Amino acid sequence: MSQANDHRLHVLSGDLEGQVLSVAPELVIGRSTSCDVFIPDRRMSRRHARFYVDGAHLFVEDLESHNGTYVNGKRVARMQLFRSDVVRVGTSQFEVAVKEHQTSPVQLVEGTADVHPQLVKEVSPGTHPSLTQMLAEEYFDAIGIGETGDSDEVSADQVKFLVQQTRNYALLHEISKVIQGGELAETLCHEVLALILKVTKADRGFMVRVVAEPDGTTRLVPVAVQDRDAPDDSSVALKLSETVAEQVINDRCGVITSDAMSDTRFSSAESVVLNDIHSLLAVPMVVGDRVTGLIEIENKQLISTFSEADLDLLGIVASMVGAALENLELAAQRERTIAELQQAQEQLLQAQDQLVRSESLAAIGRFASGIAHEVKNHLAPFMLADMLARSYPEDEDVQESAELMLEAQRRILGLIDEIRHFASGASSDYEIMPHDLGRVLEGVIRFVKCDVRVKAMDVVFAPTERPLVDMDAGRMRQVFINLIRNAADAISHEEGRIEIGLREQGDQVIIEVSDNGGGIPADVAARLFEPFFTTKGDKGLGLGLDISRKIVRAHHGTLTFDTNDVGGTTFRIIIPTVQELDDYEVSFANE
């Protein structure tokens, strides 16, 4: 052709709906078989209208028909046509399309005599029609219901076209609701694909994402597959045409074919044959300058074809879905990044805390080692208590005082040794042998009553059972003393009461130390066994409970606490009565 533009007519309605007609140089339409385009429509005259090209312009001329020729709803005798004008002749409507050789994004591929016309059209977010590009009056004039049109001349075809546009708007509205609903990507794709099949009346459809591999290659991953005839979408096993996908993604174009099995481009594709495809429509998901996937819908029946209007609609939907999936991925990535940062922050805080704790333990270990020798020297006079006890065997007061002094000496030396092992993380040997636990607790109570705080309390211990337990008595005394003194510190009123319970339960023994103090606040309870955490200010190091728990665990037991119903706190120790270990030791490495 010599003209700069190729003029086409897209049939929107009527007997030729979905076809594309070329005007070169003229096209006569009518009810006569001698016309260039024969349409058996009783509302048409035998020679109804003529489309012709004059220079670079397209014109329509009414050939003195009975029912007239209408352009954008207005009856005309002769009129120049422009892109997107809608011409109505009888019950058929034609939309004007112009292919500009240098700039037009539309490429029409002529088929053979046995194949319906095919359409390939570039798809990008910027090429979709927008109502913001025209006035409301112009839009309604374009579909024949504006103020310039004659309301008596509004035909059923114009109403059909308006219904189609309303349908498209409803689809986009429903899809936007799905997107705004914050669905997961897979759910979003399935719901959108179901809406597409419902509106376009397609038999089946695919939604595919382009996924980048670590080696730089890409692969297609189906995210939604649906078949209107399949009762369960999960059982649908349809093969996507790689031929179609390759053209759509590589050329960034939408593809329509009215008979895929006869189309030379796709006839060799295995999926086309296996899926029994007669017509298909595929569009890419374009986000910015990238193709992130594609949507393809198919029909099994030869009489069911797709139009360019369907391509435009599906192109808009694909862009919406592509952007929505991109946003979901960005949101998921943001959540993962936040979670990773939070985890990194927690690890950093733990590392800092561990460093501070290690430095504190090291300082305590050096201090304990440094004073151990001096303390032993200053405790030497306590050995006189043993001499006094031997000198006055009949004096009960002397015997009790001597026992308390010797117990204090053993406790001081044992405590220093325990702290040194705790600070260094070294193992400490335990001397496990059977002991009367009731007698051990009675000795502890006598010892702690020398403490001013404990002496002011009503300490109650009335065991009904006296179990024999395998344990390191010295270290368990240390635990009991710590719990009783803590109980006394927790009581601030004058009617303080500390109850010590002892009972057997199967092959275990349960020791409970309860107070009637104010209880333990929730924020304190969460950190109670944390090393160096103390509520006593300068009066404590915050190591007592942590060391006590390690000693109890070394006896294969547990140390827990809970708040009493009437106030106060109960610490509970549960240990087995028999320890079955030959070489018994415990490691004080930080947990």
Side-chain angles (χ1 to χ4, degrees):
M1 299 181 187
S2 59
Q3 67 268 23
N5 299 329
D6 287 344
H7 300 281
R8 308 284 172 160
L9 300 177
H10 295 169
V11 185
L12 303 178
S13 62
D15 295 327
L16 303 181
E17 180 178 354
Q19 294 195 27
V20 180
L21 307 177
S22 176
V23 184
E26 73 170 18
L27 204 63
V28 177
I29 296 175
R31 193 159 47 87
S32 172
T33 56
S34 63
C35 294
D36 298 318
V37 178
F38 163 64
I39 301 178
D41 182 357
R42 296 182 59 86
R43 297 189 59 180
M44 279 193 186
S45 299
R46 293 180 60 81
R47 287 173 57 86
H48 196 107
R50 179 173 73 105
F51 294 88
Y52 64 95
V53 177
D54 185 1
H57 305 294
L58 176 66
F59 292 85
V60 64
E61 179 184 7
D62 183 70
L63 301 179
E64 299 181 354
S65 65
H66 291 294
N67 293 322
T69 299
Y70 295 83
V71 177
N72 298 332
K74 183 178 181 179
R75 188 166 183 169
V76 300
R78 178 180 179 277
M79 184 175 179
Q80 181 180 344
L81 299 177
F82 300 91
R83 179 182 295 173
S84 299
D85 281 346
V86 177
V87 180
R88 179 169 61 85
V89 178
T91 60
S92 298
Q93 292 189 104
F94 307 88
E95 183 180 17
V96 177
V98 180
K99 178 188 175 184
E100 300 171 354
H101 291 295
Q102 289 78 17
T103 60
S104 174
V106 180
Q107 177 187 358
L108 297 173
V109 181
E110 298 291 351
T112 65
D114 297 328
V115 181
H116 292 291
Q118 308 300 316
L119 173 64
V120 177
K121 184 175 182 179
E122 181 184 0
V123 174
S124 67
T127 62
H128 300 313
S130 171
L131 289 179
T132 59
Q133 298 174 356
M134 62 174 68
L135 298 175
E137 294 83 354
E138 294 175 341
Y139 177 73
F140 287 112
D141 282 343
I143 60 175
I145 59 172
E147 295 181 359
T148 59
D150 188 349
S151 60
D152 294 336
E153 296 295 334
V154 176
S155 67
D157 294 324
Q158 290 173 308
V159 173
K160 180 181 177 181
F161 181 66
L162 179 60
V163 170
Q164 182 183 25
Q165 297 296 89
T166 305
R167 176 207 67 173
N168 295 347
Y169 169 79
L171 172 64
L172 298 178
H173 177 66
E174 290 300 318
I175 291 176
S176 68
K177 287 167 58 178
V178 172
I179 292 174
Q180 294 173 9
E183 301 285 356
L184 296 176
E186 183 177 355
T187 304
L188 183 149
C189 291
H190 277 86
E191 292 188 7
V192 170
L193 189 57
L195 288 170
I196 292 173
L197 295 184
K198 181 177 180 180
V199 171
T200 61
K201 295 182 172 55
D203 293 320
R204 54 198 166 199
F206 302 87
M207 199 172 290
V208 180
R209 299 298 307 281
V210 177
V211 177
E213 297 289 3
D215 60 0
T217 61
T218 59
R219 62 187 177 94
L220 300 181
V221 178
V223 290
V225 180
Q226 293 186 18
D227 192 319
R228 290 167 61 89
D229 295 333
D232 182 7
D233 291 337
S234 63
S235 65
V236 179
L238 300 178
K239 182 176 176 61
L240 178 68
S241 170
E242 295 181 0
T243 310
V244 176
E246 182 178 355
Q247 180 175 11
V248 169
I249 293 174
N250 292 343
D251 298 342
R252 298 167 57 98
C253 65
V255 172
I256 295 177
T257 181
S258 300
D259 191 353
M261 299 185 70
S262 301
D263 194 326
T264 56
R265 294 173 299 168
F266 312 127
S267 58
S268 62
E270 180 184 358
S271 61
V272 171
V273 178
L274 293 178
N275 294 343
D276 191 24
I277 301 172
H278 284 287
S279 60
L280 65 82
L281 190 162
V283 295
M285 295 181 188
V286 181
V287 179
D289 59 350
R290 297 179 297 110
V291 177
T292 62
L294 67 89
I295 300 176
E296 178 178 323
I297 56 177
E298 305 168 351
N299 273 324
K300 303 175 185 178
Q301 303 299 322
L302 186 58
I303 60 174
S304 300
T305 59
F306 300 110
S307 66
E308 186 182 359
D310 293 325
L311 187 149
D312 287 334
L313 175 64
L314 200 60
I316 296 173
V317 172
S319 295
M320 294 173 61
V321 174
L325 294 177
E326 191 93 345
N327 290 336
L328 286 175
E329 289 182 358
L330 291 175
Q333 183 178 358
R334 182 175 65 250
E335 293 297 327
R336 289 193 299 269
T337 301
I338 292 174
E340 291 172 359
L341 290 174
Q342 289 177 338
Q343 183 179 6
Q345 183 184 28
E346 292 175 1
Q347 292 174 349
L348 178 60
L349 292 175
Q350 291 174 0
Q352 291 176 337
D353 182 66
Q354 184 68 27
L355 180 61
V356 172
R357 184 182 302 178
S358 299
E359 292 179 349
S360 300
L361 289 173
I364 291 175
R366 291 192 296 271
F367 174 75
S369 298
I371 68 171
H373 180 72
E374 292 297 327
V375 168
K376 288 181 180 180
N377 291 336
H378 288 289
L379 289 177
F382 276 71
M383 299 302 298
L384 296 174
D386 185 51
M387 184 183 67
L388 291 173
R390 289 195 302 268
S391 300
Y392 301 94
E394 304 298 330
D395 193 322
E396 294 182 359
D397 292 338
V398 172
Q399 293 296 320
E400 182 176 355
S401 298
E403 181 180 351
L404 290 175
M405 292 173 66
L406 293 174
E407 175 66 23
Q409 181 196 37
R410 289 192 296 271
R411 171 164 168 71
I412 292 171
L413 294 175
L415 184 59
I416 293 175
D417 193 46
E418 206 74 52
I419 292 176
R420 189 172 67 249
H421 282 94
F422 178 82
S424 63
S427 298
S428 176
D429 294 333
Y430 274 43
E431 297 179 0
I432 302 296
M433 60 182 61
H435 289 275
D436 182 338
L437 189 54
R439 183 174 180 181
V440 171
L441 286 169
E442 288 172 347
V444 168
I445 293 171
R446 285 196 303 271
F447 179 78
V448 296
K449 280 189 174 180
C450 295
D451 189 296
V452 176
R453 290 286 299 161
V454 179
K455 190 174 183 178
M457 305 293 164
D458 182 13
V459 180
V460 179
F461 178 57
T464 58
E465 302 172 347
R466 303 186 72 89
L468 197 64
V469 180
D470 288 348
M471 64 180 183
D472 185 318
R475 286 184 167 85
M476 288 305 296
R477 284 192 188 96
Q478 179 181 336
V479 175
F480 300 146
I481 291 171
N482 185 58
L483 294 181
I484 294 173
R485 282 181 168 169
N486 284 349
D489 290 337
I491 301 173
S492 58
H493 52 81
E494 296 180 356
E495 298 179 358
R497 180 181 176 87
I498 300 174
E499 295 184 9
I500 302 171
L502 173 63
R503 68 180 188 275
E504 283 189 276
Q505 183 173 295
D507 59 354
Q508 294 179 321
V509 63
I510 301 175
I511 308 102
E512 294 179 331
V513 179
S514 303
D515 63 70
N516 62 346
I520 301 175
D523 58 334
V524 174
R527 304 182 59 189
L528 204 58
F529 289 102
E530 183 178 318
F532 303 108
F533 175 77
T534 179
T535 59
K536 300 178 182 179
D538 297 336
K539 297 181 180 180
L541 290 175
L543 295 176
L545 283 177
D546 191 36
I547 293 176
S548 296
R549 184 171 62 173
K550 284 180 170 62
I551 293 173
V552 173
R553 285 179 175 176
H555 287 80
H556 303 290
T558 59
L559 172 59
T560 59
F561 68 92
D562 49 42
T563 301
N564 303 328
D565 295 336
V566 295
T569 305
T570 296
F571 278 83
R572 185 174 296 105
I573 298 172
I574 302 177
I575 59 173
T577 55
V578 178
Q579 303 290 336
E580 299 178 352
L581 284 179
D582 296 330
D583 299 324
Y584 202 91
E585 65 177 24
V586 60
S587 174
F588 282 94
N590 289 326
E591 301 175 357

